[in-house]
């Protein structure tokens, strides 16, 4: 019988968690701890990340909701050059959620930044670097 891990791996589902300076920098939330599932179709191509926050506790919804509040709060896009993408959205008046220096790097493999979009949705921009 296949384990849940075998089934997940065969269907392009990879799970894990992240906490510490990287996620705190990107999300602008001290003490942030996220559980994530990364889905990839069998034919390859674009991935979909589903995430939930273990900590901190969520706050009631608002137009300026942070990433850990309940509901659809963020969407993520992979970009080829994170700094260029951040500069482009900054030119249109959108700033980093984590403030100046709000670009985080995780284990020399991914760089990420959160920007608040025009409808209050958080747009995560990430670049594979390793």
């Amino acid at each position: 019988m296949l384990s849940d891990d075998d089934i997940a791996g065969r269907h392009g589902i990879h799970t894990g968690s992240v906490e510490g300076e990287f996620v705190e920098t990107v999300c602008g939330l001290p003490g942030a701890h996220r559980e994530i599932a990364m889905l990839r179709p069998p034919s390859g191509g674009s991935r979909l990340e589903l995430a939930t926050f273990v900590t901190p506790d969520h706050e009631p919804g608002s137009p300026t909701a942070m990433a850990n509040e309940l509901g659809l709060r963020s969407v993520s896009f992979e970009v080829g050059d994170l700094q260029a993408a951040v500069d482009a959205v900054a030119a249109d008046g959108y700033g980093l959620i984590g403030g100046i220096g709000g670009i985080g790097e995780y284990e020399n493999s991914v760089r990420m930044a959160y920007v608040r979009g025009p409808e209050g949705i958080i747009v995560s921009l990430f670049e594979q670097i390793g």
Side-chain angles (χ1 to χ4, degrees), residues 21-129:
E21 183 180 352
F22 166 73
V23 73
E24 290 175 13
T25 297
V26 172
C27 297
L29 292 166
H33 176 194
R34 293 178 57 180
E35 297 286 333
I36 61 171
M38 186 68 70
L39 311 173
R40 174 171 280 170
S43 61
S46 299
R47 293 174 287 185
L48 172 66
E49 179 185 279
L50 303 175
T52 185
F53 280 81
V54 176
T55 59
D57 288 335
H58 76 278
E59 298 292 327
S62 72
T64 58
M66 293 303 288
N68 68 322
E69 293 181 32
L70 298 178
L72 176 61
R73 297 287 176 230
S74 65
V75 63
S76 185
F77 295 98
E78 184 173 5
V79 296
D81 182 339
L82 180 61
Q83 190 61 59
V86 167
D87 291 345
V89 297
D92 287 334
Y94 302 105
L96 295 173
I97 299 239
I100 296 172
I103 295 177
E105 185 173 313
Y106 185 70
E107 296 183 352
N108 297 315
S109 64
V110 173
R111 295 177 66 227
M112 182 181 287
Y114 276 13
V115 178
R116 187 160 316 271
E119 297 297 322
I121 299 284
I122 295 171
V123 178
S124 166
L125 304 171
F126 75 96
E127 172 186 16
Q128 299 284 337
I129 59 173

